[in-house]
Amino acid sequence: MITERMRFLAEDLDDLRSKGLFRPLRVLGSAQDTEVVVDGVAVLNLSSNNYLGLTTHPRLKTAMVNATELWGAGSGAVRTIAGTMSVHEELERKLADFKHAEASLVFQSGFTANLGVLQVLVKEGDVIISDELNHASIIDGIRLSKAERSIFKHKDMDDLERHLERHQDKRVKLVVTDGVFSMDGDIAPLPAIVERAERHGALVMVDDAHASGVLGRNGRGTVNHFELDGRVDLQIGTLSKAIGVLGGYVASTQTVRDFLIHRARPFLFSTSHPPGVAAACSAAIDVLLAEPDLIERLWQNTARFKAGLKRLGFDTGPSETPITPVIMGKGATAMAFSDRLFNRGVFAQGIGYPTVPEGRARIRTIVTSAHSEAQLDRALEAFESVGKELGVIGK
Ligand SMILES: *Cc1c(COP(=O)(O)O)cnc(C)c1O
């Protein structure tokens, strides 16, 4: 019996259930928008990465439909065989320009971009020096690499300096950091990282998954935000968050692009994007350039929502971006808080250990440019009511 042979998995799941950590998938019965239907219930959405509301933007939808009519539903091959269409190359030229880089290369997702780049860029005898809170895809990419790994304390520049000194005789040193950290919403100290890396002759790679479309002019990311254009060797981005579609990319030099085309395993061995996806991503970059007011509204909404939470007495941690954690402490409190918010018509997920440290469980919220002030006020009212019910505020 298959069930019997899978028993070891069922036991692991029972263990999760007994610890209250089993989380069924929440199912949307609507488009990804500010108001969504979740598990059949209409709620206000504070849980998406759809920073600029682009998932439903008319220009993206039209581009996707038109490209599908013209080019078909799928690409039919990996990029290196017959799966490179002119829409893919057009998107890559646009992304390179957008990031003020010489060239770019698109992957199926941000996750595979990190895996693809980190696995092959550096080799045995090299070292990758990585912030301890970097994204799982960076961690896995480093695991796949033959280079040594060296983990520095979160944003601790003295510790980074020690790691650079310890590895000074390595052939290649690569420092890698998230641009914006996904759980706390804090920003990497990129100027200090670049200064140290330059002094030690190290390469710098920044993963701007949560910064592209959010920080910098027209959403160019942290490199542009800190006016470091031309001084960061590799910029990773995702097309799945603010860009609103799906995919990942690296923006760097033509040499890096050529090297990855020949070596990056997800690029070589996995089929390219459907043409509709590439065309919609391309349209999204056009929107970023044409509608800078979207990013302005995103930041206005962020300021309004954060100020409201603080006024109510909530702890929003070290967040400096639209990613706003509302710290609860205990995992059980965060889960109960999320459930009660849901009953009041607000969808915001609770996140606990091991995704965040023990005692730092939280409700993770992201407002978007598409939220209205009335919606944000409604969300704050729900936070206030539940916060008082559970004794998180007003003690
Ligand atoms: C979300 C995220 C990714 C993965 O991007 P996808 O396009 O969803 O695969 C990679 N890095 C960071 C820092 C992220 O936050």
Side-chain angles (χ1 to χ4, degrees):
M1 282 266 297
I2 289 181
T3 335
E4 206 40 51
R5 289 201 298 273
M6 297 286 184
R7 200 167 173 72
F8 68 106
L9 295 178
E11 279 163 10
D12 279 3
L13 283 177
D14 285 343
D15 188 46
L16 283 182
R17 279 194 191 89
S18 72
K19 290 177 179 144
L21 295 174
F22 185 87
R23 302 301 285 177
L25 293 174
R26 301 284 214 170
V27 181
L28 267 69
S30 64
Q32 184 67 265
D33 211 335
T34 55
E35 307 272 354
V36 285
V37 175
V38 176
D39 295 335
V41 183
V43 284
L44 177 62
N45 185 8
L46 293 177
S47 285
S48 85
N49 297 315
N50 185 25
Y51 289 101
L52 303 174
L54 296 193
T55 54
T56 53
H57 194 288
R59 274 179 81 168
L60 274 72
K61 291 198 287 188
T62 303
M64 186 175 268
V65 170
N66 288 348
T68 304
E69 288 292 349
L70 203 60
W71 295 86
S75 76
V78 300
R79 289 283 298 272
T80 48
I81 309 280
T84 298
M85 294 170 159
S86 55
V87 278
H88 296 120
E89 296 242 302
E90 214 175 283
L91 172 61
E92 284 167 341
R93 273 193 301 274
K94 231 179 239 184
L95 287 169
D97 288 347
F98 183 65
K99 289 283 176 169
H100 295 155
E102 195 178 281
S104 87
L105 193 69
V106 168
F107 288 77
Q108 295 84 356
S109 68
F111 199 103
T112 51
N114 275 326
L115 287 198
V117 172
L118 287 165
Q119 180 178 17
V120 296
L121 195 76
V122 290
K123 301 182 170 66
E124 210 167 334
D126 301 334
V127 64
I128 303 175
I129 303 175
S130 174
D131 187 291
E132 64 181 344
L133 293 190
N134 278 344
H135 190 259
S137 55
I138 294 178
I139 295 171
D140 286 6
I142 294 173
R143 282 182 181 146
L144 290 172
S145 167
K146 297 240 165 40
E148 193 177 324
R149 88 180 86 144
S150 204
I151 313 296
F152 67 95
K153 292 201 190 82
H154 182 50
K155 301 205 317 191
D156 183 332
M157 291 301 100
D158 293 336
D159 198 35
L160 172 62
E161 182 80 31
R162 281 191 290 275
H163 284 264
L164 284 163
E165 276 166 15
R166 191 178 314 150
H167 295 286
Q168 59 183 335
D169 54 349
K170 291 285 193 303
R171 187 191 70 135
V172 181
K173 299 173 279 289
L174 171 65
V175 180
V176 55
T177 183
D178 280 11
V180 169
F181 291 87
S182 52
M183 285 303 136
D184 283 319
D186 51 336
I187 303 174
L190 212 48
I193 291 175
V194 167
E195 184 271 317
R196 279 164 183 73
E198 283 175 350
R199 203 151 29 74
H200 288 272
L203 299 177
V204 177
M205 166 168 155
V206 59
D207 178 354
D208 264 347
H210 281 287
S212 297
V214 175
L215 283 167
R217 198 160 56 83
N218 296 96
R220 283 178 168 80
T222 52
V223 175
N224 182 260
H225 169 73
F226 286 117
E227 298 178 2
L228 294 167
D229 298 84
R231 291 173 67 190
V232 169
D233 303 277
L234 300 120
Q235 299 179 70
I236 301 288
T238 167
L239 304 164
S240 332
K241 288 175 176 145
I243 302 302
V245 194
L246 175 72
Y249 59 93
V250 53
S252 185
T253 61
Q254 185 64 40
T255 308
V256 166
R257 179 181 145 94
D258 289 341
F259 176 81
L260 292 172
I261 287 174
H262 291 86
R263 287 284 178 271
R265 295 171 69 80
F267 187 86
L268 285 161
F269 297 110
S270 186
T271 299
S272 56
H273 278 151
V277 168
C281 292
S282 216
I285 303 300
D286 297 341
V287 170
L288 288 184
L289 297 174
E291 302 180 33
D293 51 306
L294 287 178
I295 296 175
E296 242 168 73
R297 272 225 304 288
L298 170 66
W299 283 95
Q300 280 164 9
N301 281 346
T302 298
R304 184 185 176 88
F305 191 61
K306 269 194 168 69
L309 286 168
K310 280 182 188 151
R311 199 169 50 240
L312 291 171
F314 287 107
D315 172 9
T316 57
S319 169
E320 307 165 74
T321 64
I323 299 175
T324 305
V326 187
I327 310 290
M328 301 283 154
K330 286 202 186 101
T333 311
M335 300 311 158
F337 204 105
S338 173
D339 291 344
R340 287 187 187 214
L341 282 177
F342 193 80
N343 291 338
R344 289 178 180 274
V346 174
F347 180 42
Q349 292 273 32
I351 294 177
Y353 180 80
T355 310
V356 294
E358 201 115 44
R360 297 288 290 169
R362 76 247 347 243
I363 302 287
R364 180 169 174 273
T365 66
I366 297 183
V367 302
T368 73
S369 64
H371 285 94
S372 67
E373 291 189 353
Q375 286 175 325
L376 297 182
D377 291 348
R378 223 167 84 210
L380 288 169
E381 277 166 28
F383 267 91
E384 181 175 17
S385 306
V386 177
K388 284 177 179 160
E389 277 168 32
L390 293 179
V392 176
I393 52 166
K395 272 177 273 198

